Amino acid sequence: MQRHSFILMTKLPNVKGRISYIKSSKKQEYLYATYDTADGSFWSDLARCNQTEFAKNGTTGKCIEARELIIALPESFTSYKENQLLKYFVDKFKDKYEVECVAALHHNKRKTNYHIHLIFSERRLLDEPTLKIATRNMFYDENGRHVRTKKEILDEDGNIRKKCKIIKKCEVYEKIIFDKKDVQFKQDDFLEKVKVFLTEEINMLVKNPDEKLKVFDRNGVYLPMKKIGKNNPKAEEIRQDNEERTRWNKSVDQALVSDVTEKEILEIKKEHIIKPVKESIEQQGNQPSLFRIILGKAISLLEKLIMKVKEDAIKVAEKVKEAVVTKEESNVQTVEAKASSVVENATSKDVKKNVRNNRMLDSANKNSTKEIERDSEAGKQKSEKLSDDFSENHLVELIEEPEKPDAPLLEYDVKKLLAIYDILQDKNEEIVSAQKRKNKKILELDNTSKFNIVKRNSLSVEIHNLERDIEEMQGELSDTVQKYGFDTVQSFMKVLQSVKKAVTDYQSDMKIWKEQCDLIKYSNDKILSGELTLDFAIELLEQKRYKVKTVKKDLNDIPKDNSFFGKLSRAKQRAEEDNQNREDKRYVRNRTIR
């Protein structure tokens, strides 16, 4: 299973002290390398600038002098040279965000966490310092605040108090060497962007594809797990919290398999987890027990939505089945009614007329067949002459058939994906069945008297066992997709939906292409027979919003219609041409006699 990258960002109120800590070999057990893109005076000036701006603004709280990123690296990166590895990541970060950095490469005590501490400035040095000149004497008190008059910095004896100062007219009272803090570092999505950027850089250096990392999507349907550090006093609380988060994630897997949309899941997550948790923290502080209660309610809502979607799907399937059966029955009844109507309304006159028509048709077919055979015996030379008369160079302009749509290049085998989906559906049916039994037991427990302790205890045990079985079966959904190489049920469902869409789109394109080809073939046949002009055929096709192109073809290359009606049509055309030739000869002979 693909691991998530770990990148943490913190605010630094004492940047010089933090730099000293991460670069000290005495304070760090395993310090491999350090790298600084600026000299020591830069960080001192940066701290002074931030403190000055903080005091000037009168903001409460702590002054943030810089920010730090802790970047966890794969253990395989120990094979790289430490100095080059650290310089690579620091230079990449500096090139992207154009800020000065200082960093150190560490290992923890047990050598299980290879990581980088990267401190960066939120301000940039100006190309040229901005100097502010006093236009009159300026007075500052012990706190560095500017006061209006000299009396405000004098003691009872009229002397200037300690740490108060006077800047005389025409002297520099402020030198600005940094610009304002870059607002992008304060934005909520900055850390997510940094995670994506640095994770991509890590994956570029990973040699084993199985070690590639991915960024956890906090805006997605799943909830992240909390890390339990060593000797954490809240380890038990975090463990219980993670159990509830796992329950939610397993319920999400079942919801996705049950064809609940991600939009609906995200709506429940937003309205029934994120908002209530935020309100709870604002009103009562951080209480993990309240979070677990909120999450339990959200899981119940998600289970109800799963049940509703399954019931709606069953109803739709039944309606479709009923509609198909009704349509078939109505078609049969219509055919029977028409047949009986024809039989009842048939008269002896109609029968005689039909017989006479059939005899006439048989006679015409026999005559046409004789004519076709006669023409075929002597028709080779005549057909060549007709072709020469039709076109001087044996070419005719027809409508070109469109190119056949290309089959989609699928990364996954459709049959394999559908087989996995069938397995998930079978498991989901078992889960839904167990959930229905659990709901019945819960309803039975609610209706049981409080004094019937034996029955209530028995029902509680059954409900607990069903909940445990449901959780195990929900976990099997994730295990199934991971067995076939997918990280999560969500990633599998996305792949399945994309493949289904590609196949459906291709089938739709093929259907349109076949219809267009059939129509163009029919139009070309009509053009060749003289029943339709090229311009009119193009106009008809363009009305159907087809993109029409024409092409010139050799008549000898056009396959002839060898069906009975095709031969009959050609024989009729030759007969009309022969009649026209006789009339032309008769006209010429009459003119000559006159």
Side-chain angles (χ1 to χ4, degrees):
M1 181 178 177
Q2 195 173 10
R3 293 177 56 194
H4 292 108
S5 59
F6 178 82
I7 299 171
L8 178 69
M9 185 172 70
T10 56
K11 300 174 183 178
L12 301 179
N14 180 10
V15 64
K16 289 289 291 181
R18 185 63 179 172
I19 291 173
S20 175
Y21 175 77
I22 66 171
K23 294 176 70 173
S24 173
S25 57
K26 294 180 180 180
K27 296 179 180 179
Q28 304 296 332
E29 293 187 1
Y30 299 102
L31 174 64
Y32 297 114
T34 61
Y35 179 59
D36 198 340
T37 62
D39 55 20
S41 62
F42 172 87
W43 301 104
S44 299
D45 293 338
L46 177 67
R48 191 180 306 110
C49 172
N50 281 310
Q51 292 293 345
T52 302
E53 289 292 326
F54 185 79
K56 187 187 298 183
N57 295 332
T59 308
T60 58
K62 294 182 179 180
C63 172
I64 305 304
E65 298 178 355
R67 292 177 183 257
E68 178 185 7
L69 291 171
I70 300 176
I71 309 164
L73 302 175
E75 285 300 313
S76 61
F77 279 20
T78 54
S79 61
Y80 291 108
K81 292 185 178 179
E82 293 88 351
N83 290 323
Q84 293 181 0
L85 182 68
L86 182 62
K87 188 175 183 299
Y88 174 83
F89 281 101
V90 174
D91 287 344
K92 286 290 183 180
F93 185 88
K94 181 181 178 181
D95 291 343
K96 183 173 180 63
Y97 295 103
E98 299 178 347
V99 291
E100 300 299 336
C101 308
V102 56
L105 182 62
H106 293 171
H107 235 144
N108 63 338
K109 186 176 181 180
R110 292 180 295 171
K111 286 191 174 184
T112 56
N113 183 9
Y114 199 48
H115 60 277
I116 293 173
H117 292 267
L118 190 153
I119 296 171
F120 65 94
S121 168
E122 296 177 276
R123 300 178 185 269
R124 299 176 181 85
L125 275 173
L126 297 173
D127 295 334
E128 293 184 2
T130 301
L131 303 178
K132 292 186 178 182
I133 309 297
T135 57
R136 60 181 181 84
N137 290 346
M138 301 182 68
F139 310 101
Y140 294 87
D141 62 11
E142 299 92 336
N143 298 320
R145 294 178 182 174
H146 175 248
V147 294
R148 294 184 64 189
T149 62
K150 185 178 180 180
K151 290 181 180 180
E152 297 179 57
I153 62 172
L154 298 178
D155 57 14
E156 296 177 353
D157 299 330
N159 298 321
I160 299 174
R161 297 193 302 269
K162 289 183 179 180
K163 296 185 180 180
C164 295
K165 63 180 180 179
I166 300 174
I167 295 177
K168 296 181 180 180
K169 182 180 179 179
C170 297
E171 289 184 356
V172 176
Y173 70 89
E174 187 175 0
K175 182 180 180 181
I176 301 175
I177 61 175
F178 291 96
D179 63 0
K180 294 181 179 180
K181 285 187 176 182
D182 194 333
V183 294
Q184 71 170 318
F185 301 128
K186 298 181 181 180
Q187 293 175 352
D188 295 336
D189 62 343
F190 171 70
L191 181 58
E192 297 301 318
K193 292 178 180 177
V194 169
K195 284 182 178 180
V196 173
F197 165 65
L198 291 176
T199 302
E200 289 176 352
E201 295 298 332
I202 291 172
N203 288 337
M204 288 180 65
L205 299 180
V206 169
K207 297 177 182 178
N208 185 358
D210 295 335
E211 291 185 356
K212 286 186 179 293
L213 305 176
K214 67 176 181 178
V215 179
F216 183 84
D217 184 8
R218 291 186 175 272
N219 297 321
V221 293
Y222 295 111
L223 290 176
M225 298 294 106
K226 285 187 176 181
K227 186 177 181 180
I228 304 176
K230 186 180 179 181
N231 299 325
N232 191 334
K234 296 184 178 180
E236 182 59 26
E237 290 182 1
I238 295 174
R239 186 187 63 77
Q240 294 177 4
D241 184 90
N242 284 342
E243 286 179 358
E244 289 300 310
R245 291 169 182 264
T246 303
R247 277 189 62 209
W248 165 265
N249 291 341
K250 289 180 178 179
S251 298
V252 167
D253 287 341
Q254 185 193 352
L256 292 170
V257 173
S258 302
D259 294 328
V260 178
T261 63
E262 289 188 17
K263 184 178 179 181
E264 292 173 319
I265 299 172
L266 289 172
E267 188 67 24
I268 292 178
K269 181 182 175 183
K270 179 181 177 181
E271 295 297 328
H272 300 282
I273 297 178
I274 296 175
K275 283 186 177 181
V277 167
K278 186 177 180 181
E279 292 172 358
S280 175
I281 292 173
E282 290 175 352
Q283 295 173 5
Q284 304 182 44
N286 188 10
Q287 297 188 24
S289 59
L290 294 179
F291 173 76
R292 290 193 287 273
I293 293 172
I294 293 170
L295 202 54
K297 292 180 179 179
I299 292 171
S300 298
L301 286 172
L302 188 57
E303 288 180 355
K304 290 179 181 178
L305 180 60
I306 292 170
M307 292 295 183
K308 183 178 180 300
V309 170
K310 294 293 289 183
E311 290 173 0
D312 292 345
I314 293 171
K315 289 179 182 178
V316 170
E318 289 176 352
K319 286 182 179 179
V320 170
K321 186 177 179 180
E322 290 176 0
V324 171
V325 172
T326 305
K327 187 175 181 181
E328 290 177 353
E329 291 177 353
S330 63
N331 290 339
V332 171
Q333 292 174 359
T334 303
V335 171
E336 290 176 353
K338 287 183 177 179
S340 61
S341 176
V342 169
V343 172
E344 291 174 359
N345 297 329
T347 60
S348 58
K349 183 177 179 180
D350 294 331
V351 173
K352 292 178 181 178
K353 185 177 180 180
N354 289 336
V355 171
R356 184 171 64 252
N357 290 339
N358 290 336
R359 288 176 179 174
M360 291 174 64
L361 182 60
D362 293 339
S363 177
N365 290 341
K366 290 179 181 178
N367 295 332
S368 299
T369 304
K370 291 179 180 178
E371 185 179 357
I372 290 168
E373 292 174 354
R374 184 175 65 254
D375 289 337
S376 61
E377 292 174 358
K380 290 184 179 181
Q381 297 178 356
K382 198 169 185 179
S383 62
E384 292 177 359
K385 182 181 179 182
L386 289 173
S387 297
D388 292 337
D389 293 339
F390 186 76
S391 175
E392 294 179 359
N393 54 359
H394 297 269
L395 293 178
V396 61
E397 191 171 10
L398 298 174
I399 300 172
E400 185 179 14
E401 291 185 357
E403 294 184 1
K404 186 177 181 180
D406 295 330
L409 298 174
L410 301 177
E411 187 177 354
Y412 298 89
D413 184 5
V414 180
K415 292 182 179 179
K416 182 180 178 180
L417 291 177
L418 293 176
I420 298 171
Y421 181 71
D422 289 340
I423 295 171
L424 295 177
Q425 289 300 315
D426 292 340
K427 292 182 180 296
N428 189 33
E429 290 298 329
E430 295 178 6
I431 296 170
V432 171
S433 177
Q435 287 173 336
K436 288 180 179 178
R437 294 197 302 272
K438 185 193 77 170
N439 292 337
K440 288 181 179 179
K441 295 295 181 183
I442 291 173
L443 186 61
E444 187 178 351
L445 179 63
D446 292 339
N447 295 329
T448 302
S449 173
K450 294 181 181 180
F451 300 101
N452 194 348
I453 299 174
V454 175
K455 186 175 181 181
R456 289 184 66 86
N457 289 340
S458 175
L459 289 171
S460 298
V461 171
E462 290 180 16
I463 292 169
H464 176 73
N465 291 336
L466 283 170
E467 287 177 345
R468 184 189 59 197
D469 294 341
I470 289 168
E471 191 171 346
E472 289 178 359
M473 287 187 289
Q474 287 176 334
E476 290 176 2
L477 297 176
S478 179
D479 295 339
T480 300
V481 296
Q482 289 175 13
K483 178 182 175 182
Y484 292 98
F486 296 93
D487 295 327
T488 61
V489 173
Q490 182 188 25
S491 61
F492 168 76
M493 293 302 294
K494 283 185 176 179
V495 169
L496 178 64
Q497 290 167 4
S498 64
V499 169
K500 277 185 176 180
K501 186 178 183 303
V503 173
T504 303
D505 291 345
Y506 173 69
Q507 291 174 344
S508 177
D509 292 342
M510 282 297 296
K511 182 179 179 182
I512 295 171
W513 176 77
K514 288 180 180 178
E515 291 176 355
Q516 191 173 355
C517 286
D518 292 341
L519 189 56
I520 289 175
K521 184 179 179 182
Y522 176 79
S523 301
N524 285 337
D525 290 341
K526 292 296 182 182
I527 292 170
L528 288 171
S529 64
E531 298 179 29
L532 199 66
T533 62
L534 177 64
D535 293 337
F536 187 65
I538 292 174
E539 184 179 348
L540 291 176
L541 291 170
E542 288 179 345
Q543 286 178 1
K544 292 183 172 290
R545 298 183 180 179
Y546 289 152
K547 293 181 180 179
V548 180
K549 293 182 180 179
T550 59
V551 62
K552 289 186 178 181
K553 290 188 177 181
D554 194 327
L555 285 170
N556 297 324
D557 296 335
I558 300 174
K560 293 183 179 180
D561 185 3
N562 292 323
S563 65
F564 172 78
F565 292 101
K567 294 178 180 179
L568 183 63
S569 177
R570 289 195 294 275
K572 181 181 177 182
Q573 184 179 357
R574 287 195 295 272
E576 291 176 353
E577 291 175 355
D578 290 342
N579 291 333
Q580 185 65 38
N581 290 335
R582 292 192 191 96
E583 291 179 0
D584 292 342
K585 291 178 180 179
R586 190 181 299 111
Y587 175 77
V588 172
R589 186 173 63 252
N590 293 337
R591 289 287 300 269
T592 305
I593 293 172
R594 291 177 185 176

